[in-house]
């Protein structure tokens, strides 16, 4: 066994899920329909999440994995007990907006929805687990999309404020860590998922996306304000789909391309963590002829209510080139990147780069000087269980171990402030990108396949005991 330096005493080890990818029960206890419900598995999925193909309701001939998912709604006690058994200090999960406000614009919340989350949080506390709650993880009530056009409409700010006010009030004392929007930069790549945007023929797509982004940014700042007013103990974070861009070569044009790509993403966090639109973004709007409506009040709230910490997902680094002829792409968390010849890739083509995590952490730290939280990281892989549901997932352990080492070095050798680490999909769940069940990330296997067959039985994988040991030793015993 190799000994590593421990992580900070208060380090929040845990795992993460999202409501639509695990809860199921899409139409019970008053829950309204959401965008995430109507994205099927199969080749139409990407055009739908990109806002290019319209699907506002279930259609014949499609399978919609989120309808049942892994049925966390009815298994949460068993699932949280397993997380507790692994020694989780925190569990990142999200709220389904349409459980609280089924249509989104009501004045009175749905008590059954609130009660469900209260039960979940209490269950977490029973096992000594601190909930970390994403308020919006890709979900938006369908009614708000059909009636208001999703986040392109300023009214959404008001509805979101109502949502967060209800949540912060009701869960005061039960929840302290909040994230406003999951992977806020995803709006540029998967706008139906990120902001409930479907583009009509002839619409200026960039104008709509950045206007919607502005509304989300303002809503996020208002949420931060309200969170602090209701309970000064609350800590609010932004959330970025991160992964540093590398230049394809030492050619300055490649470096510039990488820097420009990074700015596309950091733009959001620049606003949320520093409180103002960076000049490069203002110039970009000018160049593209975009006219983003912003009030004085918007700019004030952005300035005065920046986030307490910066959280992000990290799966891979990315590569950019200034030469349009260089275009051999590989897949990766919705963003396609150029292939990096120095890296191995997962079965889904996502490149594996633990040192890239250290680079990303240091870059974000240097840029904002705010505490950070890695709220997603992990390996999506095909698992083959034995007859008891046991999976020898050494490939997953290897992936996670290397990333834990990278975090350790970043904390203990570079001195960055990292609050915690929640691996993605700590229990197997539906993939956001593909809708597949067979792309598994969990320590806990769930018996369900891509077509919705299976008993939903939960069983521990080899990585379950490994992660338990990592947490118990505070990151010193990782072999
Ligand atoms: C992030 C999302 O983009 O990556 C998650 O926040 C998602 O919702 C995760 O599940 C992994 O991506 P995928 O496509 O493998 O599920």
């Amino acid at each position: 066994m190799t000994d590593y330096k421990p992580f900070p005493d208060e380090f929040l080890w845990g795992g993460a899920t999202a409501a639509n990818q695990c809860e199921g029960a899409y139409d019970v206890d008053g829950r309204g329909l959401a965008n995430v419900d109507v994205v099927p598995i199969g080749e139409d999925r990407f055009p739908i999440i990109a806002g290019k193909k319209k699907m506002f309701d279930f259609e014949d001939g499609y399978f919609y994995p989120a309808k049942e998912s892994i049925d966390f709604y009815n298994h949460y006690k068993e699932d949280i007990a397993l997380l507790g058994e692994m020694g989780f200090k925190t569990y990142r999960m999200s709220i389904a907006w349409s459980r609280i406000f089924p249509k989104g614009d009501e004045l009175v919340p749905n008590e059954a929805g609130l009660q469900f989350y209260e039960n979940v949080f209490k269950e977490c506390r029973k096992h000594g687990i601190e909930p970390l709650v994403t308020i919006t993880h890709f979900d938006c009530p369908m009614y708000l999309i059909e009636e208001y056009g999703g986040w392109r409409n300023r009214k959404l700010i008001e509805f979101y404020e109502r949502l967060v006010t209800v949540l912060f009030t009701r869960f005061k004392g039960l929840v302290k860590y909040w994230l406003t929007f999951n992977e806020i930069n995803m709006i540029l790549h998967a706008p139906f998922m990120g902001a409930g945007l479907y583009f009509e023929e002839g619409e200026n797509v960039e104008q709509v996306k950045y206007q919607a982004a502005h509304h989300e940014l303002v809503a996020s700042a208002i949420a931060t304000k309200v969170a602090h007013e209701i309970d000064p103990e609350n800590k609010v974070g932004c959330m970025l789909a991160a992964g540093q861009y590398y230049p394809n070569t030492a050619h300055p044009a490649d470096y510039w391309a990488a820097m420009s790509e990074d700015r596309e993403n950091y733009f959001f966090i620049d606003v949320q963590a520093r409180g103002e639109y960076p000049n490069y973004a203002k110039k970009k709007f000018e160049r593209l002829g975009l006219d983003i409506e912003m009030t004085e009040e918007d700019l004030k709230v952005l300035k005065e209510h920046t986030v307490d910490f910066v959280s992000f997902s990290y799966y891979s680094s990315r590569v950019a080139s200034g030469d349009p002829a260089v275009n051999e792409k590989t897949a990766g968390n919705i963003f396609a990147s150029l292939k990096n010849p120095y890296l191995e890739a997962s079965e889904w083509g996502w490149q594996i780069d633990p040192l890239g995590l250290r680079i990303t952490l240091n870059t974000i730290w240097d840029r904002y000087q705010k505490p950070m939280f890695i709220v997603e990281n992990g390996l999506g892989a095909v698992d083959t269980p034995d007859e008891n549901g046991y999976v020898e997932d050494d490939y997953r352990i290897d992936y996670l171990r290397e990333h834990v080492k990278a975090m350790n070095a970043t904390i203990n050798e570079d001195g960055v402030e990292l609050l915690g680490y929640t691996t993605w999909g700590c229990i197997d769940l539906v993939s956001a990108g593909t809708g597949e069940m067979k792309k598994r990330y969990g320590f806990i296997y769930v018996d369900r396949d891509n077509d919705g067959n299976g008993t939903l039985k939960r069983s521990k994988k080899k990585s379950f005991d490994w992660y338990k040991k990592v947490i118990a030793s505070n990151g010193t015993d990782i072999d």
Side-chain angles (χ1 to χ4, degrees), residues 151 157 160 179-181 184 214-226 236-238 272 302 305 307:
W151 279 96
I157 299 176
Y160 187 85
L179 305 179
T180 52
F181 289 90
I184 191 161
H214 177 70
H215 294 150
E216 288 193 352
L217 291 166
V218 172
S220 173
I222 291 175
T224 310
K225 170 172 174 276
V226 177
V236 183
C238 51
Q272 290 175 295
L302 290 175
H305 301 284
V307 288

Side-chain angles (χ1 to χ4, degrees), residues 203-213 289-293:
E203 248 188 331
N204 181 340
V205 169
E206 293 299 304
Q207 168 73 31
V208 174
K209 281 202 246 182
Y210 279 103
Q211 186 66 62
L290 308 185
D291 181 18
I292 309 301
E293 267 179 50

Side-chain angles (χ1 to χ4, degrees), residues 62-108:
Y62 290 96
F63 175 65
Y64 297 91
K67 276 182 158 181
E68 193 188 8
S69 196
I70 60 159
D71 195 29
F72 175 81
Y73 195 77
N74 293 302
H75 289 73
Y76 73 91
K77 287 193 180 167
E78 175 190 352
D79 294 345
I80 293 170
L82 284 165
L83 306 182
E85 194 184 326
M86 264 186 285
F88 272 33
K89 310 277 184 221
T90 190
Y91 169 43
R92 174 181 176 230
M93 47 163 288
S94 81
I95 301 272
W97 188 345
S98 65
R99 282 199 199 285
I100 313 297
F101 288 104
K103 283 161 61 184
D105 66 352
E106 300 92 334
L107 294 175
V108 181

